[in-house]
Amino acid sequence: MNMQEEEIHLRDYWRILSKRRGIALTFFCVVVGIVLVYSFAATPIYQGTAQLFFEPERNQTLNFAEGGAAVIQTKDSTEYFNTQKGIVSSRAFADRVIRKLQLDHNPYFMALKDKGKNSFMAVLMQKIRTLFPEKKKPDAVNPFPDAVFKPELDPALTDIVLANMDLDIGRMTTLMKINYRADNPAVAAGMANGIANALIEENIDIRVKPYRDASEWLSSKLIQAKDVVAKTEQMLQQYREGKGIVSFDNNENVVNQELQELISQLVQTQGKRQESEIKYRQIESVINSPERLATVPDVMNNLVIQGLRNQELDIKKQLSELSEKYGPKHPQVINATSQLATVERNIISEARKMLNAAKTDFEIASSREASLKKSIDMQKQKVMDLTRKAIDFNVLAGEAGNNKQFYELLLKKYQEASLSSAISTSNLQLVDPATIPESPIKPKRGLNALLAVMVGVFGGIFAAFFVDYMDDTIKTAEDVEKKLGLTLLDIVPLSTGKSGSVFMTSDPKSAAAEAFRTIRTGLMLSSAVNPLKVFLITSATPNEGKTTTAVNLAVAMSQMGEKVLIVDCDMRRKSLHNIFDISSDTGISDVLIDPTRISQGIKRLDAYPNLDILIGGTTAPNPSELLGSERMKAFIAKVRGYYDRVIIDSPPLLAFSDSLVLASLADGVITVIWGGKTPRDILQKEIQSLSGINARIVGAVLNKVDITKRSYYYYPYYKYYDSDTKTRKRQKT
């Protein structure tokens, strides 16, 4: 059969909630009860809050380059806050707080520590540890001898501090909040302020630590540099003394000065030599030509020669005048001529003196020049020797200078770092110290109660729907029709009386008896044209009430005047003989083996007119083969013609194959379902098995239904009918 999904309405949800109201109310009461008990029994916790103002941190980077400026970097506020949050949540900072506030001597915190040791969880964990052998701890050998390990003052106190403090920051602000929680309001406020001050000190230490480290490093390097400078200066002085040289500086060195002086003298001497040589050459070129002496400036500048030249001119003038008056033989002319020759000879003689003097000057200058050149060559050799010595000196001097320069740089940076390490300012400021709180932050009883009610209501609703979703059993008529696709014949309520299993006779006014009458009527009306004679009553699993259903249905049909036969084909668990109190000597198993014993096997009771009963009989070793035999077919064909209705009680279908064999012989199959107990998937397997052999499923009976539950609210008339019947019985008695 095809099962159709129908639209779910709001009333379906209401039915589910009404049906599972017990689960919802239980969940609600449990949640609200637990929260209220906790809220009123829990120790109040107070929170102290200290507010800090912070500026974006600026880091100065040391720069060892000469003349370099310090690099300033500004951190992002979010990054800075995350850094501070990491510092506050670190064990090292908590240990600092403990040491600063001396919490190891504080009675309050020592009591907290003892309480933690004696708590239930601590004792439980200690007992659990005793159940397992503890591994041997390794020897406490430090593999890093250069590393310094600072142990915590008290790890238990560190855990307590870390568990109760936190750091918070507002949005778009430069304010931080230090929170500390404690059951003592004074402790909460005092710890918040102490942690805030410790955080300020921590930030100061962090800021100056690079400078302190740099100062220590520079101090050690200064000592080394100072020793190096002293050593190199000493080596330099020893070199000077060993070479006998005061200074290798060109401006201060005597050898170089002497060389420069000689060169200067040489230049001057060369100039004089050239001068004297020119003078000598000029005089020498005209010495034999008196008439050309006047072309030599030096000769003409000679005072003696100038005087002689004047005399010569005067004599020539006189001679010219005498020659005009007298003849060449005139004594005056001769005398004048003789004087002129004497003067000329004197001029040449004086010129030769000048020539000799020029030659002497030239030779002296040449000799001086040669001497100076020789001296310069010797001085150059001395300079070269000095230069070779200066190479090693300059190496030593350069090394000494570099060492001295490095020492001076280190000294300058050391002074800067020492000055910076003395900084005691922080970018954190305590602007709002914590005050003693007046009210606890938890438990918030009003809020807890409101949340408990909300969680209880919605959680209860969720639990109700969840349980209903997980409950896959068939409970209502809608479940039979929607989930199984079967026709519900009727619901048989759960009987709480002690009147036996045959309700039709023991309690005919009961709701169960009325349900079987309804089933009987439905079966008769559904097959009015082609009446169904042979009905197989089965179930998916045991104990679902199929035998009770078969008995009451057979009795109900017999009460309508129909001739009915009920057959107990559940040969493995025969029960009809107990219900009707019949001896189990001859039954269906005996009839199938020997058909002539059918009259012996069918029983009739006076209390049940029109009803014949065929019990299970002798236990058969092979029930399935016996029920599927040709004799069984012949038996069904025979009783079909004699009775109006044949009711067959069969074993559970999923447990044994007997029901499938009998279903192929019956006109219709009625499956009995234990309401609220049998899962849907098991029933679907049963339906699939019956559909596989083309058996006709007439409908389903929902049995053992507790109609007192709200989930079956649409059957209230049963309860009313039962109570009305009982009232009438009491009135009769």
Side-chain angles (χ1 to χ4, degrees):
M1 297 182 180
N2 296 327
M3 290 169 282
Q4 299 178 353
E5 296 290 338
E6 297 186 5
E7 182 181 357
I8 298 178
H9 298 281
L10 183 61
R11 62 176 177 273
D12 297 320
Y13 292 110
W14 174 251
R15 288 173 183 172
I16 293 174
L17 187 60
S18 178
K19 178 176 59 177
R20 303 291 182 181
R21 70 187 185 282
I23 295 174
L25 290 175
T26 301
F27 185 89
F28 176 82
C29 294
V30 169
V31 171
V32 174
I34 291 175
V35 172
L36 291 179
V37 169
Y38 165 76
S39 298
F40 286 93
T43 303
I45 301 299
Y46 298 86
Q47 178 173 284
T49 301
Q51 196 161 238
L52 295 169
F53 169 77
F54 72 91
E55 295 179 354
E57 190 177 34
R58 296 180 178 181
N59 286 342
Q60 292 188 357
T61 304
L62 292 176
N63 187 356
F64 288 95
E66 184 66 26
V71 179
I72 298 178
Q73 297 177 341
T74 302
K75 288 187 176 181
D76 181 67
S77 59
T78 303
E79 179 185 354
Y80 177 76
F81 170 70
N82 292 331
T83 301
Q84 299 304 311
K85 194 169 185 179
I87 292 174
V88 171
S89 61
S90 66
R91 297 188 68 86
F93 179 74
D95 184 66
R96 179 181 188 132
V97 172
I98 294 170
R99 295 176 187 271
K100 175 179 175 60
L101 302 180
Q102 297 182 353
L103 300 184
D104 55 327
H105 300 297
N106 189 302
Y108 175 83
F109 282 91
M110 297 310 295
L112 278 182
K113 178 181 175 182
D114 295 336
K115 183 179 178 181
K117 290 182 179 179
N118 299 324
S119 65
F120 172 76
M121 288 301 298
V123 174
L124 179 62
M125 292 302 297
Q126 186 65 27
K127 290 183 177 180
I128 292 175
R129 291 192 189 97
T130 57
L131 299 177
F132 301 94
E134 187 175 359
K135 294 183 178 180
K136 183 181 179 181
K137 294 183 178 179
D139 296 335
V141 178
N142 184 8
F144 308 103
D146 295 333
V148 178
F149 296 96
K150 182 181 179 182
E152 294 180 5
L153 183 62
D154 193 329
L157 290 179
T158 302
D159 294 335
I160 293 173
V161 173
L162 285 175
N164 293 287
M165 73 173 177
D166 62 70
L167 180 66
D168 191 16
I169 187 172
R171 294 183 178 179
M172 305 299 292
T173 64
T174 55
L175 295 176
M176 294 189 299
K177 294 180 180 179
I178 299 291
N179 302 319
Y180 191 85
R181 297 171 294 276
D183 56 4
N184 187 320
V187 172
M191 284 296 296
N193 290 329
I195 294 170
N197 291 326
L199 183 59
I200 293 174
E201 293 178 2
E202 180 76 14
N203 274 266
I204 293 175
D205 289 346
I206 291 175
R207 288 167 64 87
V208 302
K209 187 177 184 302
Y211 300 105
R212 289 177 181 172
D213 294 342
S215 178
E216 293 177 1
W217 181 83
L218 289 171
S219 178
S220 62
K221 292 298 180 183
L222 273 173
I223 296 174
Q224 299 176 7
K226 186 176 181 181
D227 294 339
V228 172
V229 169
K231 185 177 179 180
T232 52
E233 288 290 343
Q234 186 177 4
M235 292 174 60
L236 191 63
Q237 184 61 29
Q238 290 176 354
Y239 187 84
R240 286 196 189 100
E241 294 175 357
K243 299 299 182 179
I245 299 171
V246 177
S247 174
F248 285 91
D249 190 355
N250 290 334
N251 295 327
E252 299 178 2
N253 193 278
V254 177
V255 177
N256 285 314
Q257 291 178 359
E258 291 178 354
L259 178 61
Q260 294 297 328
E261 184 66 25
L262 289 174
I263 293 174
S264 177
Q265 292 178 8
L266 176 62
V267 172
Q268 294 177 2
T269 301
Q270 286 179 340
K272 290 180 180 180
R273 191 263 306 164
Q274 290 176 355
E275 241 179 74
S276 60
E277 183 180 6
I278 292 172
K279 184 177 179 180
Y280 170 71
R281 298 299 179 192
Q282 286 180 345
I283 296 173
E284 184 183 25
S285 61
V286 296
I287 193 64
N288 296 319
S289 302
E291 66 278 2
R292 295 178 57 192
L293 288 175
T295 61
V296 179
D298 290 335
V299 174
M300 295 306 299
N301 292 331
N302 191 297
L303 295 177
V304 176
I305 292 178
Q306 287 181 0
L308 293 174
R309 287 289 298 172
N310 291 331
Q311 291 179 10
E312 182 183 14
L313 291 175
D314 291 338
I315 293 173
K316 283 183 178 181
K317 182 178 179 183
Q318 184 180 2
L319 181 62
S320 177
E321 291 176 354
L322 291 175
S323 296
E324 289 179 359
K325 289 180 180 183
Y326 307 105
K329 301 291 188 179
H330 190 277
Q332 292 183 352
V333 173
I334 295 170
N335 185 28
T337 302
S338 175
Q339 290 178 355
L340 179 62
T342 301
V343 170
E344 288 179 353
R345 285 194 300 272
N346 289 336
I347 289 174
I348 293 172
S349 175
E350 189 64 29
R352 288 190 179 276
K353 290 179 181 180
M354 290 183 63
L355 177 63
N356 292 332
K359 181 178 181 182
T360 300
D361 291 338
F362 170 68
E363 290 176 353
I364 291 172
S366 297
S367 177
R368 176 65 176 167
E369 181 181 6
S371 177
L372 286 174
K373 286 183 177 180
K374 184 177 181 181
S375 298
I376 287 173
D377 291 338
M378 294 175 63
Q379 195 66 25
K380 283 183 178 179
Q381 187 64 36
K382 292 181 180 180
V383 171
M384 293 299 294
D385 293 341
L386 183 63
T387 303
R388 284 191 293 269
K389 295 176 182 179
I391 293 175
D392 296 334
F393 175 82
N394 290 334
V395 172
L396 292 175
E399 183 178 358
N402 291 336
N403 291 335
K404 187 176 181 180
Q405 185 180 6
F406 181 68
Y407 173 78
E408 292 174 353
L409 178 61
L410 286 178
L411 182 61
K412 179 181 178 182
K413 295 302 178 182
Y414 172 74
Q415 293 171 347
E416 292 177 357
S418 298
L419 182 62
S420 299
S421 64
I423 296 174
S424 60
T425 59
S426 173
N427 63 330
L428 283 177
Q429 299 179 24
L430 181 62
V431 295
D432 187 11
T435 57
I436 298 178
E438 297 180 357
S439 59
I441 60 168
K442 62 179 182 179
K444 297 181 179 179
R445 294 171 180 172
L447 179 61
N448 289 348
L450 178 61
L451 292 177
V453 170
M454 295 178 62
V455 173
V457 170
F458 291 103
I461 294 173
F462 174 79
F465 281 99
F466 179 76
V467 171
D468 187 80
Y469 175 78
M470 296 301 294
D471 185 3
D472 201 27
T473 59
I474 302 300
K475 298 174 288 296
T476 63
E478 286 81 358
D479 292 342
V480 174
E481 295 173 356
K482 294 179 180 179
K483 296 181 180 180
L484 300 179
L486 299 179
T487 301
L488 178 67
L489 298 178
D490 205 354
I491 293 178
V492 179
L494 178 65
S495 177
T496 58
K498 299 181 180 180
S499 56
S501 301
V502 187
F503 309 118
M504 300 303 298
T505 56
S506 61
D507 194 3
K509 300 297 184 179
S510 65
E514 187 62 31
F516 285 113
R517 293 189 187 97
T518 303
I519 295 172
R520 175 195 64 190
T521 302
L523 292 174
M524 289 181 175
L525 293 177
S526 65
S527 58
V529 180
N530 296 315
L532 303 177
K533 288 190 174 185
V534 181
F535 291 97
L536 176 70
I537 311 300
T538 186
S539 64
T541 59
N543 301 321
E544 296 196 55
K546 56 180 181 54
T547 300
T548 302
T549 301
V551 169
N552 284 278
L553 182 59
V555 173
M557 287 183 172
S558 66
Q559 289 176 350
M560 288 292 294
E562 292 187 336
K563 194 171 183 179
V564 181
L565 172 66
I566 182 170
V567 183
D568 189 357
C569 288
D570 190 354
M571 296 183 180
R572 294 175 177 82
R573 191 178 179 183
K574 302 181 288 293
S575 57
L576 279 184
H577 62 285
N578 292 325
I579 294 175
F580 292 104
D581 195 14
I582 299 173
S583 60
S584 58
D585 51 356
T586 303
I588 182 62
S589 60
D590 303 295
V591 172
L592 293 178
I593 295 173
D594 185 4
T596 60
R597 301 180 63 183
I598 187 172
S599 58
Q600 183 181 355
I602 294 177
K603 307 296 182 181
R604 295 183 178 87
L605 300 176
D606 295 337
Y608 305 100
N610 300 323
L611 178 62
D612 288 349
I613 304 167
L614 183 58
I615 61 176
T618 305
T619 301
N622 52 350
S624 298
E625 289 80 358
L626 191 61
L627 294 176
S629 63
E630 293 296 329
R631 293 182 180 181
M632 185 62 186
K633 294 180 181 179
F635 170 77
I636 295 297
K638 183 176 181 180
V639 298
R640 185 190 293 273
Y642 185 75
Y643 292 96
D644 296 323
R645 307 286 180 178
V646 178
I647 307 299
I648 302 175
D649 180 23
S650 66
L653 187 142
L654 296 182
F656 307 101
S657 61
D658 303 5
S659 297
L660 292 176
V661 174
L662 295 172
S664 62
L665 303 177
D667 297 334
V669 178
I670 298 173
T671 180
V672 180
I673 302 170
W674 188 348
K677 293 292 182 180
T678 309
R680 179 175 64 175
D681 56 344
I682 292 179
L683 294 172
Q684 288 176 342
K685 290 180 181 179
E686 177 192 17
I687 295 171
Q688 290 176 357
S689 298
L690 292 172
S691 300
I693 61 172
N694 296 321
R696 179 181 179 182
I697 303 176
V698 178
V701 175
L702 200 57
N703 193 29
K704 299 182 182 181
V705 175
D706 186 1
I707 60 174
T708 61
K709 291 185 177 181
R710 186 74 175 173
S711 56
Y712 301 97
Y713 67 94
Y714 34 81
Y715 301 108
Y717 63 89
Y718 283 134
K719 183 176 181 181
Y720 170 78
Y721 190 83
D722 282 343
S723 62
D724 183 63
T725 301
K726 292 177 182 179
T727 301
R728 284 182 291 170
K729 284 184 178 180
R730 285 196 299 267
Q731 290 175 353
K732 288 180 180 181
T733 57

